[in-house]
Amino acid sequence: VRAGVFRGVGDVRVEEVTEPRIRNVADVVVRVVRSSVCGSDLWPYRGVEPWESGWRTGHEITGVIEEVGSEVSTLAVGDLVVSAFAWSCGSCSFCREGLQTSCRTVQFPGRGGQDGGHAERARIPMAEGSVWKVPSSTPEERYDAVHLLSDVLLTGYHAALMSGLAERTGVAEAVGPAVVIGDGAVGLSALACAKYFGASPVVVVGHHEDRLSTARTLGADYTTALEGRDLSAFVNEVTDGGPRSVMECVGATAAVKAAVILARPGGSVAMVGVPTAVEKWPMGLAFAKNLTLRIGVAPVRAYMDHLGPVVASGALDVAPIASHRFALEELGAAYEAMDRRQCIKAMVIPK
Ligand SMILES: [Zn+2]
Ligand SMILES: [Zn+2]
């Protein structure tokens, strides 16, 4: 089969690789119908994170099951499934607690020679603990949105939950304002989830006019740049003294600082941006403001059960985040477009 293979910094190719086969009793093999390039795929691509030459690429996978291992009982050939970006057993104590990213036998697509999502077909280990079955009634026009459950959408959902929004949902007028820092796919997902929980107004702080325009499409009440005008004065004004919920979806020093500065005293800051370049944390200010700080990687497999049906039914439409489409053979161009920030999310769709 054809699959994306990492060959060095700035060099991801589509090559002929060994046909995926069931190797363990809990495996499934899927025909990939959607995959995508993630912001975090760019770290090996840019040489920031080590990735071996020959390892596959792509951790966001939606596919139709073609083969099942002998101990797979809840999934069947023909099922459409979305795979979490972290593969988990589904039965250890962390999986049972809903923290599948800390599974005792966690594995990741591509890493260590695993199959990746940028492929015509892929083997998914520990399938029952790793994938979510898409309702068969889901029309194909929702596949892009459903595919985003594999990572970015549920990372944004994690931010919304950790920033306390869900706790205030259902209490009239108590959800209140929220600020999202970051206009990438995760930031836009956090925005969509904040609106879903009823936050208002929601301010999205970003850099790129095209992405901020998508933010407005997804319901952002205000969009603004991180630099330039007095961000703090602006946010204070439109949120009546600062938001209780701030979602930091970048993972760089300036974004973390801004999150702590913008939060209302007594508020919550959720950090889901992978901290790649956070040198200094504004702990003193967070202390003075009595902030609740939460940080972490999203256990997306747990959240698929919450938000999957909402997305599959069309009640939450996040398709605008899936901004560009590439054929599998155009994988190199998809990486370049993401690297140059020419698109929000590069969908990679095998023929
Ligand atoms: Zn991802
Ligand atoms: Zn586990």
Side-chain angles (χ1 to χ4, degrees):
V1 294
R2 307 287 289 165
V5 178
F6 181 80
R7 287 295 170 199
V9 173
D11 186 4
V12 173
R13 305 174 196 175
V14 178
E15 299 180 0
E16 197 66 28
V17 303
T18 320
E19 184 76 27
R21 294 254 175 265
I22 299 289
R23 277 196 255 150
N24 296 305
V25 291
D27 292 350
V28 298
V29 170
V30 298
R31 173 175 58 81
V32 178
V33 298
R34 290 287 186 286
S35 66
S36 40
V37 180
C38 191
S40 62
D41 288 326
L42 295 177
W43 306 330
Y45 185 77
R46 290 173 178 163
V48 178
E49 184 196 342
W51 203 256
E52 287 181 22
S53 176
W55 282 5
R56 309 283 177 79
T57 61
H59 57 260
E60 299 170 348
I61 312 170
T62 298
V64 175
I65 295 180
E66 292 199 326
E67 277 180 81
V68 296
S70 60
E71 280 185 12
V72 174
S73 60
T74 58
L75 301 166
V77 171
D79 287 348
L80 177 68
V81 295
V82 185
S83 168
F85 69 82
W87 291 329
S88 52
C89 76
S91 56
C92 74
S93 57
F94 292 115
C95 283
R96 291 199 311 274
E97 286 164 23
L99 202 59
Q100 286 88 339
T101 42
S102 294
C103 173
R104 291 178 195 280
T105 57
V106 71
Q107 298 176 52
F108 296 93
R111 188 173 290 279
Q114 300 283 6
D115 286 356
H118 301 150
E120 292 172 310
R121 301 176 78 218
R123 182 183 74 96
I124 298 176
M126 304 184 285
E128 289 179 320
S130 302
V131 308
W132 179 74
K133 185 177 158 180
V134 180
S136 55
S137 56
T138 308
E140 201 170 335
E141 72 204 40
R142 292 203 195 115
Y143 285 9
D144 283 356
V146 161
H147 171 72
L148 298 177
L149 294 162
S150 61
D151 184 353
V152 292
L153 175 55
L154 294 179
T155 296
Y157 182 71
H158 189 48
L161 290 182
M162 291 201 302
S163 73
L165 283 175
E167 289 151 33
R168 296 200 292 276
T169 301
V171 186
E173 292 161 331
V175 180
V179 167
V180 175
I181 297 176
D183 56 10
V186 172
L188 295 174
S189 296
L191 155 70
C193 293
K195 294 309 288 186
Y196 174 70
F197 284 129
S200 183
V202 181
V203 183
V204 176
V205 180
H207 279 295
H208 307 88
E209 190 36 50
D210 57 327
R211 296 175 177 197
L212 293 176
S213 153
T214 303
R216 292 188 287 275
T217 304
L218 290 167
D221 299 283
Y222 302 97
T223 57
T224 183
L226 188 55
E227 294 96 10
R229 64 201 290 185
D230 188 342
L231 181 62
S232 177
F234 172 72
V235 167
N236 273 333
E237 185 195 321
V238 300
T239 63
D240 191 21
R244 285 200 190 85
S245 293
V246 178
M247 291 156 268
E248 187 282 303
C249 305
V250 179
T253 306
V256 171
K257 255 190 200 159
V260 170
I261 289 169
L262 296 178
R264 185 184 199 84
S268 297
V269 174
M271 288 171 277
V272 299
V274 184
T276 44
V278 179
E279 295 127 27
K280 236 179 143 193
W281 289 56
M283 296 307 277
L285 184 57
F287 174 82
K289 293 175 79 172
N290 268 290
L291 299 184
T292 299
L293 303 178
R294 292 200 59 188
I295 182 166
V297 56
V300 305
R301 179 60 195 85
Y303 295 156
M304 284 170 163
D305 297 322
H306 307 192
L307 213 60
V310 178
V311 176
S313 73
L316 177 63
D317 181 18
V318 289
I321 295 171
S323 63
H324 290 69
R325 302 167 88 83
F326 295 85
L328 177 60
E329 297 298 328
E330 300 168 324
L331 183 60
Y335 268 85
E336 275 172 35
M338 286 293 288
D339 190 39
R340 293 176 190 164
R341 299 184 189 279
Q342 289 162 342
C343 61
I344 299 167
K345 191 77 182 161
M347 304 292 283
V348 177
I349 302 169
K351 283 281 165 288

